[in-house]
Amino acid sequence: GVPLPGVPVLGPCGAPGCVPACAPRQVTAEQLRARGNALFQAGDHAAALAAYTEALSLSEAPSERAVLHRNRAACYLKLEDYTKAEADATKAIEADGRDVKALFRRSQALQQLGRLEQAVSDLQRCLSLEPRNKAFQEALRALGSSMHEKMKTMSCTDSKVEQMFQILLDLEEKDVDKKQKAAQNLIVLAREEAGAEKIFQSDGVRLLMQLLDTAKADLMLAALRTLVGLCSGHRSRTTAILAELGAPRLAAVLGVEHEQVSLAACNLLHVMFDSLKEGLQKDFRGKEDAVVLDSSKDLKLLIKHLLELLVLEGASAHGRDNALNLLIKVVPRKSPKETNNSLSLWLIDQGLKKILEVGSTVCGSSGSLPVTENSRMSTSVLLSKLYEDLKCDAERENFHHLCEDYVRSWFEGHELPGKLRAIQTVSCLLQGPSDAGNRVLELEGIMDSVLSLCASVCEAHQLVAVEALIHAADKAKRASFITANGVNLLKEIYKHSERDSIRIRALVGLCKLGSAGGTDFSMKQFAEGSTMKLAKQCRKWLCNEAIDAGTRRWAVEGLAYLTFDADVKEEFVEDKAAMQAMFQLAKSEDRSVLYAVASTLVNCTNSYDHEEPDPQMLELAKYAKQHIPEQHPKDKPEFVKRRVRKLLTAGVVSALACMVKSENPALTNSCRELISRVFLALVEEAEDRGGVVAQGGGKALIPLSLEGTEVGQTKAAQALAKITITSNPEMAFPGERIYEVVRPLVSLLHLQRTGLENFEGLMALTNLAGISERLRQKILKERAVPMIEGYMFEEHELIRLAATECMCNMAMSKEVQEMFLAEGSDRLKLMVLYSGEEDEKLRRAASGTLAMLTTLHPPICKRIPQVTVHWLEILQALLLSPSVELQHRGAVVVMNMMAAAREVAEQLIASEMLEILSVLAKDKDKP
């Protein structure tokens, strides 16, 4: 994993270029168009598009601009952006109505956009201009049959829709199977655009509303799932449905007691939010471009009713959780690149206090809202996301003031119940936006109340205070104050409390304060042996099934801190019952345990980042009498390897796979990163990878590699690469899953990745490229080829070799073969020169690529003599090599070149080639 020198500057086709020393000369529109044509021919459609766009900015002549628009339409078709393809083709047609290429391209785009009548009209115009064109005739025939199918489906669908609603709404109908079948057919029909439109036009929304009003779970589920199909990716339909159903009705369905119905309503609202936020998907843009819809009012209306649901006493606990989860998904910006955070600002002003009402709920107190064990964690995640979405100090200051006002409103003048609500709010904020938590913790009287309530005789009050103290111990600002005031208090509670629920929390507080030194063996907070005693007690509680899961979760929290100590790690992996108890908790309904489980596993596998200190800096630190971190002897590689094996035997992979499946706010991006780190540690040894895949590890790694922090995605991608290198990819990732692996592997080729990550990414892609043309097309689509080429110039010999081997397998694709003939490209020259290198493995990969290229694409044979004057001696050296593999590759290349062109054959025969071949032909040991 040594960082490697960078990759040379690449020319437009990915070939090595050079940085000009003088100012660049002016390029003309004509030159840019020619460059675009070459790039398009080479299969680099994105680069071709850029060249044509630049040419447009320089071009004045209408005829020239029309051609560039037409060419851009071809690029957009290849890049599957059909709306832009249609727009560019239209501009070309406006300049010249007889431009058949532009008409044909527009018809292709319109067909993909579902506007079949217009596509037919364009094709008929093409045929009237070129009646004998076979491509136009065939396209029109195919389009005619698909239109016929569509019309048939539409007429057949009319009667079906009415029939299905009749069955579902017939109160006399007692046949349950018949009703279920009708419901299922309705849902399936709504997934197809034609079916969805038919339901919508046939007064379907009013009938679906009647199904919702029956209050029967099965009919409500059918209605909600059908509505999902109607709203998916269709903004105007979603707006109409929202107007007819009304936001209050949807929010009420979300708050029902029936969990499945509430979840289905949550899914429908999520789809509606997406349709309103994103606008229209590409399938429908063409139809509705003329309708400009302002969705912000509808979005705010839905959010307003979700906020009201949060504080509605009659709403179910899981309904409240679903509302929180929805707000997490739809309000904050998905990425910092989006500049508009107005929805978050509006939500904070309108609903922050309502969100804090859920976070401040003290379970079991009179008049408290119904909540689940996950509600407070979901509230903390939502608050954290909203706080992260703020862009300036003024916005953050407003957030702080609202939180402080809320805490004060409960703390002052509400006696003890109010103080408890205020302290619970502090806990919720410390778990979420900790800056806001620290601010309210510093309000007058809060910390004193926390400390005094820790000694309360009432268990519920003591629980609230001890948890607040624990969360405060997490934060550096207060940790020193708590160490001074809280440690003795926590020790007293731990030793003398008769309630396990209180003792376990006090122990976690002590663990947090005791782990301040992290993995530094020389900085221990507690006396020798105390950490081990605390860890033993944590394991004991963890295994005690008589204690409720919510309390046992705190035992995992304790271990997440104590496992910084290598002695604790060693004892934990020896305790199979404790490991399995932790894995069972990870699979349970209480998702707030995920982070603690992931942290414990990261500590046990040593998969956190640790840099080797510079020896010179160590000497300087000793000289300056500064503290030097020390590694525990039991954190050496052989101990870590043994711990990983024990975790695998105990079933860690199935627990992690179950954690990843969780559709819960507790699975935060930082939690996903921890899980990715653990997976990477588990697949470090090649012999363990098969077991990891068999227990669902391969499947779990794909979503981890596509979503989360950059570090987490990279670790997951590297784990996928390790599996792909040593396992049969088709067995490790069966069916369509193998195609999902390509993007994460390509991400390992980016320049900011380490040399080891580049190398493993290339090796894994080599394996995939050798499997099928569809996989090679997927790699091409992810634009990996220019990056693979870049690494063929790498100074590090293993990376250079891996890139060349990958290119050898990619050369089976027609598009890649064409790239080797592209004007101004040095790709072929590089392969010929590498075939003459000293490194035998590199020669084998390069000459293998030449053998493949000359077999599959004969025009390349004519080019080889033109790329370098050394071509003959390189081929002769291959044939004279002591390696049979190199001789075989050389012989295939020569045979292909002899067959390709007379002038090349004459050059070969004029050399000593015939003599060499005659000797090789007589060698009976090399058939």
Side-chain angles (χ1 to χ4, degrees), residues 470 473 486-495 503-516 525-526 534 558 561-562:
I470 292 164
V487 169
N488 290 333
L489 178 62
L490 288 169
K491 279 184 181 172
E492 283 301 304
I493 295 170
Y494 177 61
K495 283 177 187 169
R503 289 186 69 215
I504 203 164
R505 285 163 171 80
L507 179 139
V508 172
L510 290 170
C511 295
K512 284 192 176 187
L513 294 167
S515 67
Q525 303 287 318
F526 294 148
L534 291 175
Y561 289 91
L562 293 170

Side-chain angles (χ1 to χ4, degrees), residues 684-704:
E684 188 57 43
E685 300 298 320
E687 58 267 33
D688 296 332
R689 292 170 195 168
V692 170
V693 169
Q695 291 172 57
K699 184 181 178 183
L701 277 164
I702 294 171
L704 289 172

Side-chain angles (χ1 to χ4, degrees), residues 357 360 406-412 414-415 418-419 421-422:
E357 281 288 305
S360 69
Y406 181 82
V407 170
R408 274 200 208 95
S409 72
W410 278 111
F411 194 72
E412 295 163 6
H414 274 88
E415 301 302 322
K419 286 186 169 50
R421 291 287 295 263

Side-chain angles (χ1 to χ4, degrees), residues 550-606:
T551 301
R552 284 163 63 216
R553 168 174 73 81
W554 286 93
V556 186
E557 291 271 355
L559 287 168
Y561 289 91
L562 293 170
T563 46
F564 280 127
D565 185 310
D567 289 315
V568 173
K569 301 179 202 184
E570 285 294 314
E571 280 206 354
F572 179 66
V573 297
E574 291 301 331
D575 188 341
K576 197 168 181 185
M579 284 194 286
Q580 288 179 335
M582 184 173 85
F583 298 156
Q584 280 308 113
L585 272 181
K587 296 173 184 177
S588 71
E589 286 296 307
D590 183 358
R591 311 312 281 168
S592 51
V593 76
L594 296 183
Y595 194 85
V597 172
S599 300
T600 306
L601 292 171
V602 163
N603 291 341
C604 288
T605 56
N606 282 36

Side-chain angles (χ1 to χ4, degrees), residues 81-145:
D81 191 339
Y82 302 115
T83 306
K84 287 182 180 170
E86 186 221 346
D88 263 316
T90 301
K91 283 176 184 167
I93 294 160
E94 282 166 3
D96 177 7
R98 299 175 66 80
D99 186 338
V100 285
K101 282 187 182 176
L103 283 161
F104 186 59
R105 280 166 199 171
R106 187 168 73 174
S107 79
Q108 288 175 296
L110 289 166
Q111 192 175 347
Q112 292 297 335
L113 291 166
R115 290 149 66 188
L116 303 186
E117 294 89 343
Q118 288 166 276
V120 165
S121 170
D122 277 354
L123 272 175
Q124 286 170 338
R125 176 92 177 116
C126 287
L127 265 173
S128 70
L129 293 166
E130 289 186 17
R132 293 185 180 176
N133 189 311
K134 290 274 196 303
F136 297 162
Q137 290 168 4
E138 190 52 47
L140 190 60
R141 197 176 300 121
L143 196 51
S145 63

Side-chain angles (χ1 to χ4, degrees), residues 668-899:
T668 57
N669 284 345
S670 48
C671 186
R672 297 171 82 93
E673 182 185 314
L674 294 179
I675 296 170
S676 298
R677 286 175 180 277
V678 177
F679 265 126
L680 185 55
L682 296 177
V683 298
E684 188 57 43
E685 300 298 320
E687 58 267 33
D688 296 332
R689 292 170 195 168
V692 170
V693 169
Q695 291 172 57
K699 184 181 178 183
L701 277 164
I702 294 171
L704 289 172
S705 66
L706 296 169
E707 192 183 332
T709 65
E710 192 175 353
V711 172
Q713 286 179 278
T714 306
K715 301 275 181 200
Q718 198 181 354
L720 284 171
K722 286 179 187 288
I723 290 168
T724 310
I725 290 165
T726 53
S727 315
N728 175 350
E730 289 174 290
M731 291 179 76
F733 310 106
E736 291 297 302
R737 207 174 294 153
I738 195 167
Y739 302 99
E740 294 174 48
V741 178
V742 174
R743 182 170 296 169
L745 295 181
V746 172
S747 75
L748 293 175
L749 305 189
H750 294 151
L751 291 178
Q752 63 269 40
R753 304 283 175 260
T754 66
L756 180 63
E757 288 161 358
N758 298 155
F759 174 68
E760 290 182 332
L762 288 164
M763 293 269 284
L765 286 168
T766 303
N767 273 4
L768 291 185
I771 291 172
S772 71
E773 180 56 26
R774 191 176 159 200
L775 271 168
R776 289 190 286 277
Q777 286 300 322
K778 177 73 176 158
I779 295 168
L780 275 163
K781 200 172 178 183
E782 292 296 336
R783 303 191 185 136
V785 172
M787 290 189 270
I788 297 166
E789 283 184 321
Y791 287 112
M792 286 172 66
F793 296 93
E794 183 58 71
E795 284 182 37
H796 195 292
E797 60 204 37
L798 285 175
I799 292 186
R800 191 170 62 224
L801 170 65
T804 310
E805 286 176 343
C806 192
M807 188 55 79
C808 179
N809 281 353
M810 287 301 294
M812 287 187 265
S813 268
K814 189 82 176 151
E815 286 95 325
V816 178
Q817 294 156 23
E818 293 290 349
M819 287 181 195
F820 280 86
L821 287 173
E823 283 301 322
S825 157
D826 282 341
R827 294 180 180 93
L828 189 58
K829 180 179 181 178
L830 184 69
M831 280 299 176
V832 176
L833 293 174
Y834 274 0
S835 300
E837 282 281 309
E838 285 178 21
D839 179 347
E840 189 178 318
K841 286 181 179 172
L842 183 62
R843 284 179 81 189
R844 204 160 56 209
S847 55
T849 310
L850 284 182
M852 187 96 68
L853 288 168
T854 52
T855 303
L856 298 171
H857 204 54
I860 284 173
C861 298
K862 293 185 193 177
R863 276 296 271 285
I864 290 175
Q866 297 164 23
V867 294
T868 171
V869 291
H870 304 292
W871 69 279
L872 258 174
E873 59 192 81
I874 288 169
L875 288 179
Q876 287 173 358
L878 285 173
L879 291 167
L880 294 168
S881 161
S883 159
V884 182
E885 286 186 312
L886 288 177
Q887 287 182 311
H888 182 204
R889 285 159 168 73
V892 169
V893 176
V894 174
M895 178 176 76
N896 291 334
M897 290 176 75
M898 284 294 295

